[in-house]
Amino acid sequence: QVQLVESGGGLVQAGGSLRLSCAASGRTFSRRAMAWFRQAPGMEREFVAAISWSDDSTYYADSVKGRFTISPDNAKNTMYLQMNNLKPEDTAVYYCGAMIAWRWRSQRVSDFDSWGQGTQVTVSS
């Protein structure tokens, strides 16, 4: 019902920056929150950051606090993830997800209903 397309991934050196974008289409009005998750090879998908679409409140995984910033562009139905001071352990495929049924400050994959195809972020040491 909500289509999501991520972009902006790439290869950067440790300490560098990237900005990821997630463009939403379809039933965008039904979103309660949007979030970024990431999945490294052989690992489960893990929470990175989320934003409430109603009040723009945000929350982050401890591993990215102070380095990553999630932000919305409501006019463009897009959210961004500004990633600064990247580390090799940030290497993963990054996915955006949309939450339809509200779960307060959820970090659970199962609480997000729609997903994009992912964009690869690789951080070299």
Side-chain angles (χ1 to χ4, degrees):
Q1 294 184 339
V2 178
Q3 291 78 49
L4 305 172
V5 179
E6 303 95 336
S7 62
L11 173 64
V12 298
Q13 296 183 192
S17 298
L18 284 173
R19 189 178 77 158
L20 306 183
S21 299
C22 177
S25 60
R27 292 185 60 193
T28 58
F29 57 86
S30 65
R31 293 172 298 171
R32 300 297 304 277
M34 294 184 68
W36 289 97
F37 287 74
R38 65 189 183 188
Q39 188 166 18
M43 305 293 289
E44 295 185 353
R45 191 169 299 187
E46 67 171 348
F47 173 80
V48 176
I51 184 166
S52 168
W53 221 250
S54 61
D55 63 5
D56 289 346
S57 62
T58 61
Y59 54 97
Y60 297 86
D62 289 341
S63 60
V64 306
K65 286 180 179 177
R67 300 189 297 121
F68 291 9
T69 303
I70 189 170
S71 61
D73 186 335
N74 293 319
K76 296 181 178 180
N77 288 315
T78 300
M79 71 166 181
Y80 303 97
L81 184 68
Q82 179 66 46
M83 304 186 293
N84 297 326
N85 192 24
L86 284 161
K87 304 176 181 180
E89 49 263 46
D90 295 319
T91 295
V93 177
Y94 283 70
Y95 299 89
C96 62
M99 177 188 292
I100 306 302
W102 177 246
R103 299 289 186 270
W104 183 73
R105 295 178 67 86
S106 175
Q107 299 185 19
R108 298 173 59 183
V109 170
S110 61
D111 285 338
F112 291 81
D113 303 283
S114 299
W115 298 93
Q117 82 290 344
T119 185
Q120 177 71 48
V121 172
T122 302
V123 184
S124 62
S125 60

